[in-house]
Amino acid sequence: MLHAWNTFYKTRPYAANMLSSSVLHFGGDVLAQRRERTRHCEAKKTAPPRGGGGTAAAKGDDTPHPPQHHMPGSAPAPGASASKSSTPRTVVPSSSSAAPAALSSRYHSECYDVRRSVILSIMGCAFAPFMVRMTKFTDRFFPTKSYLNAAKQGFCIWALVAAVNPFLITYITVANNAWIHGIHDRQQLQDRVVERLQRNYIFHNAVGLCFWSTFAWLPMFYYLPVYQLSHFRVLYSSCLSLIWSSVASYIQHRGEATHQQQGDLEEPENGT
């Protein structure tokens, strides 16, 4: 089994790394969703009830009262206070008021959202050949293996990935908003991409530099080549991606739970 796997990585490096990278990126997003779901459930338990003192329990009345909607110009219900009748009320359609709650329950459901994991898995599959090419390309500039050259080669690859990160963040943002949230308006998608880049790009690259320099540079560019295992470098990187994908996915989606709880994200009507 190990011999066949080793031969597969030597003879078919692109196919082997695309397969392993897609599976590991999928698993990394599942871990991220597990953490986000745990945090969301804890936030719901500790959050104060919405509506404040307007509930029957807060007024000391155990009798449930159905909501009353008055048409413009109609008389208020008997027994209504003068302060309530004199204050103009804006009746919000039920479909619009329930949209943030529906979106939040759909995104933070009891089950994992497979669509989000598939989006990241596709990105990992497409990014694997790029990693193979970058690794072989930088080998030409650092033929001698040493700790210093390993750090230099790792930094070069990190810089190249940082240059590509805006395209990856754009892909994740557009795919998530279009496929999961049903947003297909070009201007809305563009605004969310710009907001996500402004909020996450520098932080994402800074965390990535700390993570990959600590766990990847020396094993990938010194130890594995020294022991004639260079063909496993991208596999090792993909294994680290199981953890990094969880971190990166959390970074890319870290503000969505807060926006949904505040009602900032509205579900578009008719899926547009």
Side-chain angles (χ1 to χ4, degrees):
M1 181 68 180
L2 292 177
H3 178 72
W5 192 250
N6 184 51
T7 304
F8 182 44
Y9 267 84
K10 281 185 175 181
T11 57
R12 304 287 298 276
Y14 292 103
N17 286 291
M18 289 172 67
L19 176 62
S20 60
S21 182
S22 61
V23 173
L24 291 171
H25 276 78
F26 186 95
D29 186 73
V30 170
L31 293 178
Q33 290 193 54
R34 179 184 178 88
R35 181 180 179 182
E36 290 170 11
R37 188 179 65 168
T38 302
R39 293 177 66 253
H40 179 71
C41 293
E42 292 176 354
K44 287 181 63 177
K45 291 179 182 179
T46 58
R50 301 182 67 176
T55 60
K59 295 179 181 180
D61 187 4
D62 296 334
T63 305
H65 299 283
Q68 297 181 0
H69 302 280
H70 303 289
M71 297 299 294
S74 62
S81 61
S83 60
K84 291 184 178 180
S85 60
S86 60
T87 303
R89 298 180 60 185
T90 303
V91 180
V92 181
S94 58
S95 60
S96 300
S97 60
L103 179 57
S104 179
S105 63
R106 182 175 62 179
Y107 189 78
H108 295 284
S109 61
E110 293 298 326
C111 300
Y112 296 103
D113 197 329
V114 181
R115 296 170 296 179
R116 216 184 83 172
S117 300
V118 169
I119 291 171
L120 203 65
S121 178
I122 294 173
M123 187 198 72
C125 181
F127 194 67
F130 179 67
M131 279 295 299
V132 175
R133 294 297 301 173
M134 283 195 304
T135 303
K136 292 182 178 180
F137 176 75
T138 53
D139 282 339
R140 303 175 184 176
F141 298 96
F142 306 100
T144 305
K145 300 306 175 185
S146 64
Y147 292 137
L148 180 59
N149 284 342
K152 290 179 180 179
Q153 188 173 359
F155 183 82
C156 288
I157 290 185
W158 171 83
L160 291 174
V161 174
V164 178
N165 263 342
F167 301 98
L168 302 180
I169 294 175
T170 300
Y171 160 74
I172 293 175
T173 304
V174 172
N176 275 291
N177 282 280
W179 192 11
I180 298 177
H181 300 311
I183 299 174
H184 300 127
D185 182 71
R186 181 176 298 180
Q187 186 60 43
Q188 277 188 293
L189 293 175
Q190 182 178 349
D191 293 341
R192 297 200 175 186
V193 167
V194 172
E195 185 272 336
R196 189 66 59 87
L197 287 172
Q198 292 175 346
R199 178 162 53 95
N200 292 336
Y201 179 69
I202 297 178
F203 182 72
H204 183 102
N205 289 326
V207 175
L209 178 61
C210 297
F211 179 86
W212 292 105
S213 61
T214 303
F215 300 105
W217 290 0
L218 285 180
M220 286 181 62
F221 305 116
Y222 180 75
Y223 292 111
L224 290 178
V226 166
Y227 291 100
Q228 304 299 319
L229 297 173
S230 298
H231 52 285
F232 283 126
R233 286 186 294 185
V234 178
L235 175 62
Y236 177 78
S237 174
S238 297
C239 291
L240 288 179
S241 295
L242 182 65
I243 303 174
W244 172 247
S245 296
S246 177
V247 176
S249 184
Y250 171 75
I251 292 173
Q252 295 305 316
H253 300 92
R254 60 194 171 119
E256 292 186 4
T258 304
H259 292 326
Q260 289 168 357
Q261 290 173 359
Q262 295 175 350
D264 294 338
L265 290 178
E266 296 183 358
E267 185 177 15
E269 297 181 358
N270 300 326
T272 58

